[in-house]
Amino acid sequence: IPINVNTRQEDEETILKVHPIYDAFNNSLLTKFMLMKMLIVDMLLYGNGVAYIERELDGTPKSLVYCPKDSYNIRYNEKTHDLYYLIPSVKKGKVEPIDVIHLIKKSKNGIEGIGVLAYASNTLDLAKATEKAAQDYFNSGCHVAGILSTNAARLTKEQRNAIRDAWNQAH
């Protein structure tokens, strides 16, 4: 798979021929194709595809480690916007986002994805609930059921009759 690193200066984009990420792909146990395939399959099925970037002491990427679905946890605090990963198989403690390739699908919060199957299941559940509500409505003769309430402490008989008549006329 041709994976290129591009750089842009002003309005000109060029492909870098030498970059540490090329070595990281070559040092991985998986081929570039297999790693990308597994990340994309996980993203589509589960909503998230994750790989850990193993680095040299100077920060240069040296290899990429594929992380299967159940081998990591995504931790995100919405109040502080603190994001980190727990990947016990590759590192103890917190793993910072800069050390992770994270592919996301159909996210509600931009951090954790929703897989295609879960998304489809939610869509089918919503359609089923809509059909049930429509069926109940038509089975009741299109009558709206409910309780009318008012902020007034007490209503007179004339007020109650006026409200009932207005409701009957509208529905």
Side-chain angles (χ1 to χ4, degrees):
I1 294 178
I3 296 176
N4 298 317
V5 177
N6 296 352
T7 183
R8 183 180 298 199
Q9 293 178 344
E10 295 177 21
D11 286 335
E12 189 174 322
E13 190 170 302
T14 57
I15 296 174
L16 297 177
K17 299 292 183 192
V18 177
H19 192 275
I21 198 67
Y22 295 132
D23 293 333
F25 274 111
N26 292 333
N27 289 335
S28 178
L29 292 175
L30 300 169
T31 64
K32 285 189 270 187
F33 173 78
M34 286 305 296
L35 177 64
M36 296 304 288
K37 177 184 172 188
M38 293 168 77
L39 288 174
I40 291 170
V41 166
D42 281 0
M43 177 192 64
L44 290 172
L45 290 178
Y46 311 117
N48 300 290
V50 173
Y52 174 71
I53 304 170
E54 193 174 17
R55 297 181 184 274
E56 299 285 355
L57 292 176
D58 66 357
T60 304
K62 71 176 182 181
S63 69
L64 301 173
V65 180
Y66 166 71
C67 300
K69 174 186 177 273
D70 294 326
S71 70
Y72 63 87
N73 287 308
I74 302 167
R75 299 295 169 97
Y76 179 65
N77 184 327
E78 290 185 23
K79 291 182 182 176
T80 63
H81 301 289
D82 184 35
L83 169 66
Y84 63 91
Y85 300 81
L86 297 175
I87 312 173
S89 60
V90 295
K91 183 179 177 185
K92 292 182 181 179
K94 293 181 179 182
V95 176
E96 296 299 323
I98 197 164
D99 293 326
V100 174
I101 295 173
H102 183 182
L103 305 180
I104 304 168
K105 177 82 173 158
K106 297 276 186 199
S107 178
K108 291 182 181 178
N109 63 3
I111 305 298
E112 296 179 281
I114 302 169
V116 172
L117 297 177
Y119 191 78
S121 175
N122 292 344
T123 302
L124 292 174
D125 289 345
L126 178 62
K128 187 176 176 182
T130 303
E131 288 291 326
K132 174 82 169 95
Q135 181 181 17
D136 291 348
Y137 177 71
F138 288 117
N139 285 344
S140 72
C142 299
H143 293 302
V144 179
I147 297 173
L148 296 177
S149 63
T150 179
N151 291 336
R154 282 214 166 294
L155 294 175
T156 65
K157 186 174 184 176
E158 293 80 21
Q159 290 172 320
R160 286 194 305 267
N161 289 338
I163 292 171
R164 184 187 64 235
D165 293 342
W167 178 262
N168 287 336
Q169 184 179 11
H171 300 284

